[in-house]
Amino acid sequence: MTAATGKSTEAPASKKSGFRPDVQGLRAIAVLLVVLYHAGVSRLSGGYVGVDVFFVISGFLITTHLLEMLQTHGRIRFGSFYAKRARRILPASLLVGLLTVVAAWIWMPPLLMNEVARGAVAAALYVPNMLFASQETNYLAETSPSVFQHYWSLGIEEQFYLFWPAILALGFWLGRRSEKRLLIMAAVLTAGSFALCVAWMGVSQPWTFFSLPTRAWELGAGALVAFLMRTGAPWLRRVGIGLLSWVGLGLLLGVGLLYQEETPFPGYTAALPVIATALLIIGGAAPGALNANRLLSLRPFQFVGAISYSLYLVHWPLLVIPQVAVGEENPLPLWSTLALGALAVPVAWLLFRFVERPVIAWSPLRTRSQLWTGVSALAASAVLIAAGSGAHLATEQEDTTTDKTASAEEVTEEPEGTDFVPANLTPTLEDADDDNPAIYDNDCHRDKEGTDSSGCQIGDNEDAPLVFLFGDSHAASWYPALEELAKDGKIRLDTNTKSSCYSANVQEELEGVPYTDCDQWRQGVIDRINEEQPELVLMANYGAERIDRVGGTDDFGADWQQSMESTISAIDGPQVDVIADVPHQDVTPAVCLSKDLESADECAIPRAEAFDPAVVEAEKAATEDTDARYLDFSDYLCNEEECPMIIGNFLVYRDGHHLTAHYSRELTEPLWEELSSALD
């Protein structure tokens, strides 16, 4: 890159930007939206847009700084820029990360430390957003959210800071040091990122939410505001322009109140908080008393705005770790989450006062070579990686069973649960998550992508009746029991299961987009059933109101019944049996059990809470109306009072709503007793 010999004739003769109290106050609004939303204030159902406000502010401030550097020096001093960013961002984030690992090691169940370690490593490597995108992070999953989940936005900003200075420097050089040409390039890139964001929402919501290319436009919008403010356009200095800040403030608060978790986001819906923030920044720079500066400059807003970065860092682990410690089955009341959110304020002030500001001003780093800052940052990141990995290794050495054994009891109705975690538990708590049916390994269980409905058959007895298994992963949970029957020559089994895809004719969304692959797969299986005419079709599904449906009514039970009847009616000829769903718990059994090995009964779910009455009645009604049969094995999983997680020496569930392969196999005889009557 060639250094400039003089200032561009097209560069605006603007003064260097100074501190803006209104932007500081805007930071306060952004972080308060996020903290109150995470604390569970239902009225602020769209409080998550506070992160988008931060993106726009960051894009505005960083671009303003970089443009001033280009104007003054004709080039970007990369070493100086990155050293300042490192001193500004990393000390607080890495220290909070380290303290989070320690707190998690003390208070969280040991089986969760693997996820804590992954989050710590991703945060130390500045790629937490990529980790959560690859995991298809779902905020409504039954498992506890990562204590590092809020670091995803830091990942976006850090990656933006990595690329944006080089892009501006290259554009400045290619555009012959013209800021106007540089503006055009920035506008094109921002528009391209926005278009990608909207388009990719139809492919994968998690990747759209967490990846830089689909979120860069929000920082780019702030960058465009920076370009605009540097033009010195006369209309920007009109008193009436100050009203834009009130419009932006009203729009931002409206979004915070009206957006829901169900609102497709980001996509085009993210444009409203971004536009609102841009209006606030533009209007706040206008002269006169018509803007919102007097409000945003109030001392409470200035205080919260100053500590906003530290507050964002500390509030999430303060909310998540206590909830995990008491168990997801015991939701903290609103008063306690608000108290934890309030506690985050003085903690954030301490972090701001004794870490954030001192490191920025620390002369040994400011006056020495920028290499020292880089080395310090790498060393601090290495410490966080070591801490996360060390805590995980330490918890792996902890016992996850008692020293007592349990007898291998025969499967009976009304089972009494084992009230401790036995030494001979099968599978172990560590192996529970991977205790899947064999069809997960041989590709007979279809994943979310694809429409292959060819199925897989097992069973060597050509005279045995043909049975089709049809449904989602809950249907696949019955495969181990059916596999035993096929090996014994009692049936020939044709498996037709697909992740998150119901045999019930439900129009659903997956990762925020219509799950059209499921519709094609389902119809393909039905066509093959009608062609091959098996003796029996077994349907099993995860019926729950949390299904992301396209259309439908507010009466999920009625919709589910209609969806079941639609599929059963489309099957022409074979007998259809519907297997009732297994108990559902809002916790991960292995994690719950690992917290107190002597009190396994504390993790059992009350039978009254284990099943959705609307779903049960809908499936019963659907089978009655279509002459299908309803097979209910709940009495083999629950007694009159509760549904235990350990029966004999067997762990019953691998997660909150799937049987372990081992326990499914134990249900072979009860299943055959029901099937044999239909196959005789």
Side-chain angles (χ1 to χ4, degrees):
M1 187 175 301
T2 306
T5 55
K7 294 181 181 179
S8 168
T9 56
E10 295 190 52
S14 59
K15 294 182 180 180
K16 194 167 185 175
S17 62
F19 173 75
R20 286 186 53 172
D22 60 311
V23 174
Q24 191 80 301
L26 183 54
R27 281 195 178 108
I29 292 176
V31 77
L32 289 174
L33 283 172
V34 173
V35 172
L36 291 173
Y37 167 71
H38 285 156
V41 178
S42 58
R43 287 297 301 160
L44 283 175
S45 54
Y48 51 83
V49 301
V51 175
D52 304 85
V53 176
F54 279 124
F55 283 162
V56 179
I57 292 174
S58 294
F60 168 70
L61 295 176
I62 289 301
T63 304
T64 298
H65 173 64
L66 292 172
L67 291 177
E68 289 169 350
M69 194 180 296
L70 286 171
Q71 178 185 348
T72 303
H73 304 288
R75 62 185 180 89
I76 290 176
R77 296 178 173 178
F78 290 98
S80 173
F81 173 80
Y82 289 124
K84 288 180 180 178
R85 288 296 91 204
R87 291 194 296 269
R88 170 70 178 90
I89 295 174
L90 298 185
S93 68
L94 294 176
L95 177 59
V96 170
L98 180 62
L99 294 177
T100 297
V101 168
V102 174
W105 180 58
I106 296 172
W107 285 297
M108 289 178 64
L111 288 187
L112 289 179
M113 287 308 298
N114 183 36
E115 285 303 312
V116 172
R118 288 184 185 180
V121 171
L125 297 177
Y126 320 123
V127 290
N129 55 318
M130 306 305 289
L131 170 67
F132 300 127
S134 65
Q135 292 179 337
E136 298 179 358
T137 292
N138 178 4
Y139 289 90
L140 301 181
E142 86 265 355
T143 53
S144 304
S146 168
V147 290
F148 284 95
Q149 190 162 289
H150 63 314
Y151 275 67
W152 75 269
S153 62
L154 273 66
I156 293 284
E157 292 203 14
E158 288 160 350
Q159 292 154 25
F160 181 81
Y161 297 156
L162 178 63
F163 295 109
W164 190 237
I167 291 173
L168 288 181
L170 179 61
F172 191 66
W173 178 66
L174 292 176
R176 299 180 181 179
R177 301 177 178 83
S178 167
E179 198 165 300
K180 290 182 179 179
R181 295 190 182 101
L182 196 57
L183 167 61
I184 294 172
M185 181 203 70
V188 170
L189 290 175
T190 300
S193 174
F194 177 70
L196 182 63
C197 178
V198 173
W200 207 252
M201 278 290 289
V203 178
S204 173
Q205 190 273 341
W207 278 100
T208 306
F209 190 96
F210 288 115
S211 68
L212 174 64
T214 52
R215 299 304 289 264
W217 67 273
E218 300 184 38
L219 293 108
L224 295 181
V225 173
F227 276 101
L228 174 65
M229 301 305 294
R230 285 174 56 80
T231 63
W235 65 270
L236 291 172
R237 306 304 301 167
R238 294 175 184 170
V239 174
I241 294 300
L243 294 174
L244 292 179
S245 61
W246 289 106
V247 173
L249 183 60
L251 182 59
L252 181 59
L253 294 179
V255 167
L257 292 170
L258 297 177
Y259 275 21
Q260 307 287 328
E261 288 181 346
E262 296 78 16
T263 302
F265 201 88
Y268 64 89
T269 54
L272 285 182
V274 168
I275 291 172
T277 307
L279 292 176
L280 274 158
I281 295 174
I282 294 170
L290 294 181
N291 56 39
N293 290 8
R294 183 172 297 179
L295 172 65
L296 295 176
S297 297
L298 292 175
R299 291 187 65 181
F301 284 111
Q302 293 300 296
F303 171 74
V304 175
I307 67 169
S308 59
Y309 177 57
S310 290
L311 181 56
Y312 180 81
L313 288 173
V314 303
H315 87 281
W316 182 251
L318 279 175
L319 288 168
V320 171
I321 294 177
Q323 179 62 79
V324 175
V326 301
E328 295 294 329
E329 69 276 16
N330 302 304
L332 293 174
L334 180 60
W335 68 264
S336 63
T337 56
L338 288 175
L340 290 169
L343 175 62
V345 175
V347 174
W349 179 82
L350 291 172
L351 184 66
F352 170 79
R353 174 66 179 81
F354 295 105
V355 177
E356 211 183 317
R357 302 316 300 174
V359 174
I360 292 176
W362 196 31
S363 59
L365 289 180
R366 288 173 58 91
T367 58
R368 290 189 179 183
S369 168
Q370 288 128 16
L371 181 61
W372 282 98
T373 298
V375 171
S376 300
L378 290 175
S381 296
V383 169
L384 179 55
I385 292 173
S389 303
H392 173 50
L393 291 175
T395 55
E396 281 193 327
Q397 307 306 313
E398 297 181 18
D399 291 332
T400 54
T401 70
T402 63
D403 56 3
K404 297 178 288 186
T405 60
S407 59
E409 301 175 358
E410 289 188 11
V411 173
T412 61
E413 293 183 300
E414 304 292 330
E416 290 297 325
T418 303
D419 60 4
F420 58 92
V421 180
N424 59 336
L425 183 67
T426 305
T428 65
L429 297 184
E430 292 90 343
D431 295 336
D433 190 52
D434 295 324
D435 198 54
N436 289 310
I439 51 176
Y440 280 75
D441 293 327
N442 61 18
D443 295 329
C444 285
H445 176 73
R446 310 305 183 195
D447 58 21
K448 295 173 183 177
E449 290 78 27
T451 60
D452 182 5
S453 57
S454 59
C456 293
Q457 285 197 12
I458 60 170
D460 297 330
N461 184 2
E462 296 182 359
D463 296 327
L466 178 61
V467 176
F468 266 56
L469 178 63
F470 184 19
D472 60 2
S473 57
H474 282 222
S477 288
W478 291 97
Y479 177 84
L482 293 166
E483 181 185 30
E484 292 298 305
L485 297 177
K487 288 179 179 179
D488 292 342
K490 295 177 179 178
I491 64 172
R492 287 178 295 132
L493 178 63
D494 193 305
T495 61
N496 301 270
T497 60
K498 181 174 170 64
S499 291
S500 301
C501 185
Y502 314 104
S503 52
N505 188 18
V506 178
Q507 305 302 305
E508 58 179 309
E509 289 185 346
L510 180 67
E511 299 176 16
V513 301
Y515 194 5
T516 55
D517 283 0
C518 177
D519 300 329
Q520 297 178 47
W521 171 84
R522 182 191 306 115
Q523 187 58 52
V525 174
I526 293 173
D527 291 343
R528 204 161 57 80
I529 289 172
N530 291 336
E531 178 182 348
E532 298 193 23
Q533 288 296 302
E535 279 78 4
L536 178 64
V537 176
L538 285 176
M539 291 174 53
N541 298 283
Y542 176 38
E545 289 196 48
R546 65 182 65 198
I547 294 173
D548 294 324
R549 294 177 291 154
V550 177
T553 68
D554 293 335
D555 188 345
F556 177 78
D559 290 347
W560 187 249
Q561 178 181 341
Q562 182 181 8
S563 300
M564 293 290 294
E565 291 180 359
S566 175
T567 297
I568 296 172
S569 299
I571 296 174
D572 186 11
Q575 168 68 35
V576 177
D577 285 358
V578 175
I579 301 179
D581 202 4
V582 300
H584 181 277
Q585 43 262 313
D586 289 324
V587 298
T588 301
V591 172
C592 181
L593 292 167
S594 72
K595 291 193 295 184
D596 189 347
L597 304 177
E598 295 284 356
S599 302
D601 52 332
E602 294 294 323
C603 295
I605 184 173
R607 182 163 183 163
E609 300 174 11
F611 305 97
D612 185 341
V615 172
V616 173
E617 292 305 316
E619 292 186 347
K620 287 181 177 179
T623 55
E624 290 174 1
D625 292 347
T626 56
D627 294 325
R629 294 197 312 163
Y630 185 70
L631 308 183
D632 189 354
F633 298 98
S634 301
D635 286 343
Y636 291 95
L637 300 167
C638 308
N639 53 48
E640 290 184 356
E641 296 181 356
E642 63 185 18
C643 303
M645 292 187 178
I646 301 176
I647 299 176
N649 68 318
F650 285 100
L651 180 63
V652 181
Y653 308 99
R654 63 179 172 88
D655 61 17
H657 48 88
H658 289 93
L659 296 174
T660 61
H662 279 86
Y663 199 74
S664 173
R665 203 169 289 115
E666 291 297 301
L667 295 171
T668 300
E669 285 305 316
L671 180 61
W672 176 240
E673 289 178 10
E674 292 288 347
L675 300 188
S676 58
S677 61
L679 296 173
D680 287 343

